[in-house]
Amino acid sequence: MCGIVGYIGNRNSQPILLEGLKKLEYRGYDSAGVAVFTEQGLKIQKAKGRLAVLESQLVAAPLDGTIGIGHTRWATHGKPSDVNSHPHTDNSMKFSVVHNGIIENYMTLKEELTAKGHRFVSETDTEVISHLIADLYQGDIVRAVQQAVQRMTGAFALGVLTEYEPDRLVAVRLASPLIIGVGEGENFIGSDIPAILEYTRQVYILNDGEMAVLTRDGVELMTLEGNFISRELFHVDWDLITAEKAGFDHFMLKEIYEQPKAYKDTMGSRISPDGTRVVLPEVGMSAETIRGIRNVHIVACGTAYHAGLIGKSVIEKLARIPVETDVASEYRYRAPIITPETLVIVVSQSGETADTLAALREAKRCGARVLAITNVVGSSVAREADDVIVTWAGPEIAVASTKAYTSQLVAFYLFGLYLAQTLESQTTEYIREVIAALRLLPEQVEYLLGQSETVKEYAKHIAQHQSLFFIGRGMDYAVALEGSLKLKEISYIHSEAYAAGELKHGTLALIEEGIPVIALATQEALLEKTISNIKEVKARGGRVFGLALSGNEELGKAVDEVYTVPRTHPLLTAALSVVPLQLLAYYTSLARGNDVDKPRNLAKSVTVE
Ligand code: F6R
């Protein structure tokens, strides 16, 4: 998704803007640009492609000035190109705008402005904003931005500069994230905290419908109607090192290796010292409220949705409450039956995914209680939900989610156990057994990370193929979906995940000599059935790589290669079996020479519907 930075102070802004944009690269982008107020007026440089392209342009023709805005663009309206890149300007070139989000009524505005004589050069919705502000400007940029925003529908965050008022930088937030960094004699804007963390730890987090006016010496916060707001500064207590590669070749590999810590931190003090109970003080539901839950809806996108599929099995098995899991972009349009007795659980690493946020709002509108599982404290999802379970995975930078997913699983295990102990739907002995297994997961993941050689070899093999399959039953199927998504997004190999028993109803026709099939068989109760499905694949020439629990030697005889996963409680196998699949995606992407951390076409935080 697009990234915004802005600076006003006494230093040269160009290097600060570029550094800030580098810290936002993880969000995914296809072009970049900066606008700086120089002695010759407002000057813009922008370029399609990686930041390095823009950087080399700026080396050749630097922009000197102490106030500027910068942007990384992830194309929505109009293809990636120099002209469609931000910042955008108006015909007088006196106004400049960077934008994250979508202006839904931009065509109507464009027609109106065209009729008034404005000429447009790009295909973007953002260019319309700069023209609209220019059109409304009557000597006060704050007023012009407020009036422009009233005319715009959609979701957006903006950074705005005008040559007429070179000592003010205006920022707006409406449903796309934006933070303000407060320094001494200098102030900043950013789409995310890492963009400004090198310069200050004092931050205001803008809420929806708020704006900020930055000068060198201060920041004024106000509503879009102009009412001033007073707010405490938020002190950021984590450092950039946590968000750097720490010696790993890629963020994704670092994040895979951080999983034992993420598991431990997410469990943290949420398990009683004697290992008998789960303690979740952040969940403010009384026992009576919990007893009143008739059904649960889990809503999320992509990888978080896959965590939700495991969440469904876990909650149904532990609490015996019916659960539905939905893709967030589908949920609110299928008129789901949501009542005040429905608990809606939204899962989002970033806490800013537009589809998930829209689902949360729909659930609240229908009177449901909403629990969020998110990795970002202070994110929109966290702020709008009734209860929040934070996954303490730490910043996740690689586009392909790994440690956030597994921490979401841990959050579901904890919440499922919490429901079970409140509802007394499981015996204390059973709950103790699951907790004991949960506590062993971090060291079992350490063990798996030490076994990456087999995976590396297998990755070289599948890197040669154009298509492959993942199969599994029960929770193995949910993990197969995640393994397949991970592989697709960073290796660009076509892959499909199937419920193993479903293959013979059509997809088996695609199995031919040598096609790789990755079979997950960690659900012991379903082992015999899965082996039968593996045999169906083998009989048609498929080459099967099996994932088994240690001790299940019979699987080894049915497949071509086998990788064993340590034994754990049957409810928890996903937290282990996904690790070799993450490594497989990583090493396959590497073998194909892809950009592992920034796969093509994808963004880390998807703030458009
Ligand atoms: C895949 C991936 C995406 C995200 C999805 C939701 O590796 O990361 O599928 O899981 O875009 O994002 P969040 O969790 O931030 O809502």
Side-chain angles (χ1 to χ4, degrees), residues 300-305 347-353 356 396 398-402 404 408 482 485-486 489 602-606:
C301 304
T303 285
Y305 166 75
V347 192
S348 175
Q349 184 283 127
S350 62
E352 300 293 349
T353 300
T356 309
E396 191 180 65
V399 166
S401 182
T402 52
Q408 287 158 1
E482 174 56 11
L485 176 65
K486 216 78 319 169
E489 66 179 321
L602 299 179
K604 181 67 180 163
S605 172
V606 185

Side-chain angles (χ1 to χ4, degrees), residues 6-321:
Y7 175 76
I8 179 163
N10 296 307
R11 297 193 248 179
N12 187 9
S13 61
Q14 180 182 303
I16 296 173
L17 298 174
L18 280 173
E19 276 313 303
L21 292 178
K22 281 183 194 161
K23 299 291 184 312
L24 296 177
E25 275 191 295
Y26 73 90
R27 297 165 70 85
Y29 69 104
D30 43 53
S31 48
V34 293
V36 173
F37 184 70
T38 70
E39 278 181 357
Q40 293 75 43
L42 203 50
K43 295 287 172 218
I44 298 177
Q45 288 266 18
K46 47 194 196 173
K48 179 184 163 192
R50 292 292 177 205
L51 267 172
V53 182
L54 175 70
E55 231 175 335
S56 58
Q57 278 185 16
L58 288 168
V59 168
L63 296 180
D64 283 333
T66 56
I67 168 166
I69 47 180
H71 191 266
T72 43
R73 174 175 188 252
W74 185 75
T76 56
H77 293 67
K79 60 183 181 306
S81 69
D82 291 354
V83 72
N84 285 338
S85 312
H86 302 207
H88 284 281
T89 186
D90 66 308
N91 293 140
S92 70
M93 311 256 299
K94 302 286 188 205
F95 296 84
S96 187
V97 173
V98 285
H99 164 219
N100 171 19
I102 285 179
I103 309 302
E104 286 164 357
N105 61 337
Y106 85 104
M107 279 310 290
T108 319
L109 294 169
K110 194 170 183 174
E111 278 161 24
E112 201 179 289
L113 289 161
T114 306
K116 284 179 153 183
H118 289 259
R119 291 175 322 283
F120 293 87
V121 292
S122 79
E123 302 158 281
T124 66
D125 50 349
T126 309
E127 192 186 4
V128 174
I129 310 173
S130 44
H131 284 256
L132 184 60
I133 293 173
D135 196 65
L136 293 164
Y137 187 72
Q138 288 185 330
D140 180 355
I141 187 63
V142 178
R143 186 80 200 107
V145 170
Q146 285 166 342
Q147 287 174 336
V149 166
Q150 272 161 23
R151 302 282 326 276
M152 289 154 32
T153 58
F156 46 84
L158 305 175
V160 183
L161 282 185
T162 176
E163 198 175 302
Y164 296 124
E165 298 178 54
D167 296 316
R168 295 216 277 184
L169 166 55
V170 181
V172 175
R173 172 182 174 149
L174 200 86
S176 290
L178 201 66
I179 57 108
I180 312 295
V182 179
E184 280 184 20
E186 56 184 5
N187 293 302
F188 308 79
I189 64 172
S191 292
D192 200 355
I193 292 170
I196 53 114
L197 200 53
E198 205 174 320
Y199 312 104
T200 180
R201 293 179 167 274
Q202 303 292 97
V203 165
Y204 288 121
I205 296 174
L206 285 189
N207 290 326
D208 279 349
E210 293 180 352
M211 61 189 293
V213 182
L214 287 75
T215 57
R216 287 180 175 81
D217 299 319
V219 175
E220 278 177 345
L221 303 184
M222 61 185 83
T223 63
L224 296 179
E225 294 73 38
N227 301 318
F228 289 101
I229 301 166
S230 91
R231 172 156 313 145
E232 296 263 306
L233 277 166
F234 174 74
H235 180 80
V236 182
D237 56 11
W238 46 272
D239 54 36
L240 268 180
I241 304 295
T242 329
E244 301 283 359
K245 284 188 206 149
F248 285 89
D249 289 341
H250 296 96
F251 281 113
M252 183 180 177
L253 193 61
K254 171 178 174 260
E255 289 160 9
I256 291 173
Y257 274 79
E258 281 172 344
Q259 288 179 114
K261 179 170 181 332
Y263 281 42
K264 276 189 214 146
D265 291 349
T266 303
M267 283 181 230
S269 55
R270 289 164 169 161
I271 293 176
S272 66
D274 63 358
T276 57
R277 294 182 69 72
V278 167
V279 192
L280 289 179
E282 60 270 67
V283 175
M285 289 177 225
S286 65
E288 201 188 335
T289 306
I290 291 179
R291 278 193 285 273
I293 299 171
R294 290 287 151 263
N295 61 341
V296 176
H297 291 176
I298 301 175
V299 192
C301 304
T303 285
Y305 166 75
H306 294 156
L309 293 174
I310 299 288
K312 170 183 162 71
S313 298
V314 168
I315 293 174
E316 286 187 340
K317 288 205 166 79
L318 285 170
R320 306 305 298 153
I321 303 175

Side-chain angles (χ1 to χ4, degrees), residues 372-514:
I373 296 179
T374 181
N375 198 33
V376 181
V377 180
S379 60
S380 302
V381 158
R383 282 182 288 129
E384 294 190 31
D386 298 296
D387 307 285
V388 184
I389 300 182
V390 174
T391 50
W392 294 108
E396 191 180 65
I397 307 292
V399 166
S401 182
T402 52
K403 62 175 182 172
Y405 166 81
T406 43
S407 305
Q408 287 158 1
L409 299 186
V410 172
F412 273 118
Y413 299 145
L414 292 170
F415 186 62
L417 289 165
Y418 184 71
L419 290 179
Q421 76 199 18
T422 311
L423 297 170
E424 297 179 353
S425 49
Q426 302 295 336
T427 63
T428 46
E429 194 39 51
Y430 183 87
I431 289 173
R432 199 194 299 252
E433 243 174 66
V434 181
I435 289 178
L438 201 54
R439 285 173 140 178
L440 282 179
L441 289 177
E443 70 185 70
Q444 291 178 313
V445 174
E446 290 282 8
Y447 167 82
L448 284 170
L449 294 171
Q451 306 296 307
S452 59
E453 280 311 311
T454 323
V455 178
K456 257 188 220 170
E457 282 310 305
Y458 187 60
K460 284 185 203 145
H461 166 69
I462 61 168
Q464 316 299 324
H465 286 260
Q466 288 313 317
S467 185
L468 61 88
F469 292 88
F470 286 77
I471 58 171
R473 284 172 174 261
M475 282 195 256
D476 280 338
Y477 171 45
V479 178
L481 286 166
E482 174 56 11
S484 172
L485 176 65
K486 216 78 319 169
L487 189 74
K488 275 183 275 221
E489 66 179 321
I490 58 171
S491 77
Y492 317 147
I493 297 173
H494 167 254
S495 102
E496 288 187 50
Y498 266 85
E502 181 66 9
L503 266 193
K504 57 186 172 297
H505 298 290
T507 314
L508 204 53
L510 294 176
I511 303 296
E512 54 189 32
E513 200 55 44

Side-chain angles (χ1 to χ4, degrees), residues 282-286 289-290 293 295 297 338-346 360 363-364 366-372 385-388:
E282 60 270 67
V283 175
M285 289 177 225
S286 65
T289 306
I290 291 179
I293 299 171
N295 61 341
H297 291 176
I338 308 171
T339 71
E341 286 82 43
T342 307
L343 172 67
V344 176
I345 305 180
V346 293
L360 178 158
K364 292 209 78 169
C366 297
R369 190 169 181 119
V370 178
L371 166 74
D386 298 296
D387 307 285
V388 184

